[in-house]
């Protein structure tokens, strides 16, 4: 019965997506919902896209194993990223009225920079989207009591998300996410309230977790420990800033105020609400510690589903798994659309600059199908945990894309040579260290970030200033160059 209710919920989500598809009339509607989304929808999309499988199943399991020290990258770093993007990056990017971050790299620098960094952004989504697909497989496997294998569950979940994302694009993401956020918040609060009572009350759970040192999060004074802490924080806090999904939510806002505060408040909401699944997971150690010990040795991501199925009434099971599906699907749809849009607009269209709007829309939809197939394959073939897949996703954008984005927006001397050196030094050094199996005290992606900053600084100081965007040429939307010129003039 529970499985059929979950399937019914999937069908409802698909129905909402089909309705959203009626609002799509061109590529801009599909990619940024016509820039018409109000505050409530933008905040819901920011929150629900980041409140994914890794938050409920991944970081909650990590919390049981490592306490807050294991969560520096997410939720602390992830929340910091959203707040920084909203307060610092959202306003200038929104004013430029672009479709993708790749458009910014082309207009501010050149086509090679656009191509390389767009591919980096696309690659960075592989782990994140695959983590959502893996979580869907896990849910169907648990709900069917093993009748549906994890692999089969991945294919079922991926198919459902694909249908409504493919048809409605950002409109589907916006409408389904708004409904899903309501289910997430109410569902998880209800289940956590029940679990807290079963564990002896809120105060008892907090006191036990505190006594076991689960709330310690600051590094020790050891240099290696501090560097590891900083690397974990910056991986998400800065590496997630040059991401298409965050930019798309900003760009879909109906005005500049919504773009700034929808993103910022979404980040703050994510940080505080991420504590709910952590509390819920810790109650399991007080309700059935033997189960926790057994699953920690097998698969710690199964602790929450087994807690709900073993100890909660049927109504709570329906609410929890409905909320869990909402969590996963809202993140999966948004992170499926973002790399597909980037690939079609900044990779394919770059080789066909005269592509019509209709052709771009069709190309984006075909890319959505192709990327879904690829991440589904990765989800069933990798043995990484959900949290690991997400945490590793942003290393490439931290090492390669963050410095060109930040310098391009806020340093007038940033030029093509600086962008090239930033990419070559940052990505090159990071990738070299990873390939040789470097295991030093400083993480490879942090070394790559510093090398990227040095490359941009050297190039900006010795290279020639970039020509006016009017003379730079390139494919894209005509208003982009004018917007960029206005932005540069303001500085």
């Amino acid at each position: 019965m529970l499985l059929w209710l979950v399937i019914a919920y999937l069908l409802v989500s698909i129905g909402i997506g089909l309705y959203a598809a009626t609002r799509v009339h061109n590529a801009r509607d599909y990619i940024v919902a016509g820039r018409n989304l109000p505050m409530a929808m933008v905040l819901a999309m920011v929150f629900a896209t980041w409140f994914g499988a890794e938050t409920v199943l991944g970081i909650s399991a990590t919390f049981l194993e490592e306490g807050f020290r294991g969560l520096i990258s997410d939720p602390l770093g992830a929340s910091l990223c959203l707040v920084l993007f909203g307060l610092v990056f959202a306003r200038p990017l929104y004013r430029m009225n672009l479709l993708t971050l790749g458009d910014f790299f082309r207009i501010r620098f050149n086509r090679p920079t656009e191509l390389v960094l767009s591919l980096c952004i696309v690659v960075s989504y592989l782990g994140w989207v695959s983590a959502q697909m893996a979580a869907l497989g896990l849910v169907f496997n648990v709900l069917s009591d093993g009748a549906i294998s994890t692999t089969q569950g991945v294919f079922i979940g991926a198919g459902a998300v694909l249908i409504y994302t493919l048809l409605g694009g950002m409109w589907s993401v916006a409408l389904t996410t708004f409904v899903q956020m309501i289910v997430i918040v109410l569902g998880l609060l209800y289940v956590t309230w029940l679990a807290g009572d079963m564990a002896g009350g809120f105060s008892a759970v907090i006191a036990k977790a505190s006594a076991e040192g689960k709330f310690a999060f600051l590094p020790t004074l050891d240099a290696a420990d501090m560097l590891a802490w900083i690397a974990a924080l910056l991986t998400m806090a800065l590496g997630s800033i040059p991401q298409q999904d965050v930019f798309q939510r900003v760009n879909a806002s109906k005005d500049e105020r919504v773009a700034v505060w929808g993103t910022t408040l979404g980040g703050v909401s994510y940080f505080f609400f991420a504590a709910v699944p952590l509390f819920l997971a810790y109650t399991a150690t007080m309700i059935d510690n033997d189960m926790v010990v057994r699953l920690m040795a097998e698969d710690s991501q199964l602790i929450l589903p087994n807690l709900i199925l073993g100890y909660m009434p049927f109504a709570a099971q329906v609410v929890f798994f409905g909320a869990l599906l909402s969590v996963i699907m809202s993140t999966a749809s948004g992170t499926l659309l973002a790399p597909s849009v980037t690939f079609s607009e900044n990779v394919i269209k770059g080789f066909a600059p005269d592509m019509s709007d209709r052709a771009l829309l069709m190309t984006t939809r075909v890319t959505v199908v192709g990327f879904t197939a690829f991440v589904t394959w990765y989800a069933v073939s990798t043995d990484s945990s959900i949290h690991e897949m997400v945490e590793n996703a942003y290393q490439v954008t931290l090492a390669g894309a963050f410095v060109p984005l930040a310098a391009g927006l806020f340093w007038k001397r940033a030029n093509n040579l600086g962008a090239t050196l930033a990419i070559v030094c940052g990505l090159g050094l990071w990738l070299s260290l990873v390939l040789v199996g470097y295991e030093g005290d400083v993480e490879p992606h942090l070394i790559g970030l510093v090398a990227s900053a040095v490359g941009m600084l050297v190039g900006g100081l010795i290279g020639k200033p970039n020509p006016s965007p009017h003379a730079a040429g390139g494919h894209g939307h005509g208003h982009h160059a004018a917007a960029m010129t206005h932005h540069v003039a303001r500085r």
Side-chain angles (χ1 to χ4, degrees):
M1 181 63 180
L2 182 59
L3 179 61
W4 283 110
L5 286 173
V6 167
I7 291 173
Y9 182 75
L10 286 177
L11 294 176
V12 169
S13 295
I14 292 173
I16 295 173
L18 292 175
Y19 167 74
T22 62
R23 294 175 173 240
V24 176
H25 305 293
N26 52 50
R28 183 161 284 266
D29 285 340
Y30 190 81
I31 295 171
V32 292
R35 297 191 115 199
N36 285 317
L37 299 184
M39 175 73 77
M41 280 193 174
V42 173
L43 192 156
M45 284 199 300
V46 171
F47 169 82
T49 297
W50 283 62
F51 198 91
E54 70 280 2
T55 312
V56 178
L57 300 178
I59 69 174
S60 60
T62 303
F63 177 70
L64 293 181
E65 296 171 349
E66 306 175 36
F68 274 172
R69 275 302 306 270
L71 308 181
I72 302 306
S73 63
D74 191 7
L76 181 59
S79 303
L80 182 59
C81 161
L82 294 173
V83 172
L84 283 174
F85 200 103
L87 296 179
V88 179
F89 292 85
R91 184 171 281 107
L93 285 172
Y94 185 83
R95 289 175 179 174
M96 293 174 66
N97 195 17
L98 310 173
L99 283 184
T100 66
L101 279 178
D103 290 342
F104 170 81
F105 292 126
R106 181 187 69 253
I107 295 168
R108 183 64 175 87
F109 300 112
N110 52 28
R111 167 63 180 161
T113 301
E114 171 197 18
L115 181 61
V116 173
L117 293 184
S118 295
L119 288 173
C120 287
I121 290 171
V122 171
V123 169
S124 72
Y125 279 94
L126 176 61
W128 196 3
V129 188
S130 297
Q132 312 312 312
M133 301 308 180
L136 286 170
L138 190 71
V139 170
F140 280 106
N141 178 254
V142 170
L143 288 178
S144 65
D145 198 22
I148 297 175
S149 70
T150 302
T151 299
Q152 291 170 332
V154 169
F155 284 110
I156 293 171
V161 174
L162 171 63
I163 290 172
Y164 72 77
T165 307
L166 177 68
L167 296 175
M170 183 56 84
W171 272 117
S172 285
V173 173
L175 294 180
T176 55
T177 297
F178 185 72
V179 174
Q180 287 161 349
M181 189 191 78
I182 297 172
V183 176
I184 291 168
V185 172
L186 296 181
L188 285 181
L189 285 176
Y190 171 63
V191 173
T192 303
W193 172 64
L194 291 179
D197 278 350
M198 294 171 65
F202 179 85
S203 299
V205 176
I206 297 298
K208 187 173 184 294
S210 178
E212 293 184 358
K214 295 297 184 183
F215 297 145
F217 72 97
L218 291 174
T220 65
L221 296 180
D222 177 71
D225 191 47
M226 287 191 286
L227 286 172
W229 194 94
I230 292 170
L233 180 68
L234 295 184
T235 298
M236 291 284 276
L238 301 185
S240 301
I241 285 178
Q243 289 287 342
Q244 177 63 19
D245 66 283
V246 184
F247 172 76
Q248 240 172 307
R249 278 134 191 77
V250 167
N251 214 30
S253 305
K254 69 176 185 178
D255 57 44
E256 191 175 300
R257 182 185 64 86
V258 171
V260 172
W261 292 109
T263 308
T264 303
L265 294 176
V268 173
S269 302
Y270 173 67
F271 178 77
F272 285 107
F273 202 76
V276 173
L278 302 185
F279 178 88
L280 180 59
Y282 198 78
T283 62
T285 65
M286 303 174 70
I287 296 171
D288 188 348
N289 192 56
D290 291 340
M291 175 197 73
V292 172
V293 172
R294 174 174 56 83
L295 290 177
M296 290 280 276
E298 297 174 10
D299 186 352
S300 58
Q301 296 167 158
L302 291 171
I303 291 173
L304 278 186
N306 278 274
L307 173 68
I308 303 303
L309 288 174
Y311 291 92
M312 294 287 177
F314 181 74
Q317 293 176 16
V318 173
V319 168
F320 174 80
F321 283 103
L324 182 57
L325 273 179
S326 295
V327 163
I328 299 168
M329 292 173 66
S330 61
T331 300
S333 59
T335 53
L336 192 60
L337 183 63
S340 303
V341 167
T342 299
F343 190 79
S344 60
E345 164 77 2
N346 302 114
V347 178
I348 297 177
K349 189 176 179 181
F351 296 104
D354 296 326
M355 181 184 292
S356 67
D357 184 84
R358 183 180 181 85
L360 176 61
L361 178 59
M362 179 60 67
T363 302
T364 304
R365 282 177 162 151
V366 171
T367 307
V368 168
V369 175
F371 195 74
T372 303
F374 191 71
V375 296
T376 302
W377 164 80
Y378 185 75
V380 300
S381 62
T382 185
D383 58 358
S384 299
S385 72
I386 291 171
H387 192 200
E388 286 173 339
M389 279 193 276
V390 173
E391 195 172 34
N392 294 334
Y394 308 104
Q395 295 182 11
V396 60
T397 46
L398 178 65
F402 174 75
V403 170
L405 175 63
L409 279 173
F410 304 114
W411 191 38
K412 65 181 180 180
R413 293 190 65 91
N415 55 20
N416 293 347
L417 178 60
T420 300
L421 291 177
I423 294 169
V424 171
C425 295
L427 283 180
L429 188 54
W430 166 73
L431 191 56
S432 299
L433 293 172
V434 170
L435 292 177
V436 300
Y438 166 80
E439 295 181 355
D441 291 338
V442 184
E443 294 287 344
H445 48 282
L446 194 59
I447 297 175
L449 173 65
V450 174
S452 180
V454 172
M456 176 61 75
L457 181 64
V458 171
L461 293 176
I462 69 173
K464 296 180 179 180
N466 279 4
S468 165
H470 280 300
H475 75 277
H477 307 273
H479 54 270
H480 292 177
M484 185 68 202
T485 302
H486 171 70
H487 178 70
V488 173
R490 285 192 308 105
R491 293 180 309 182

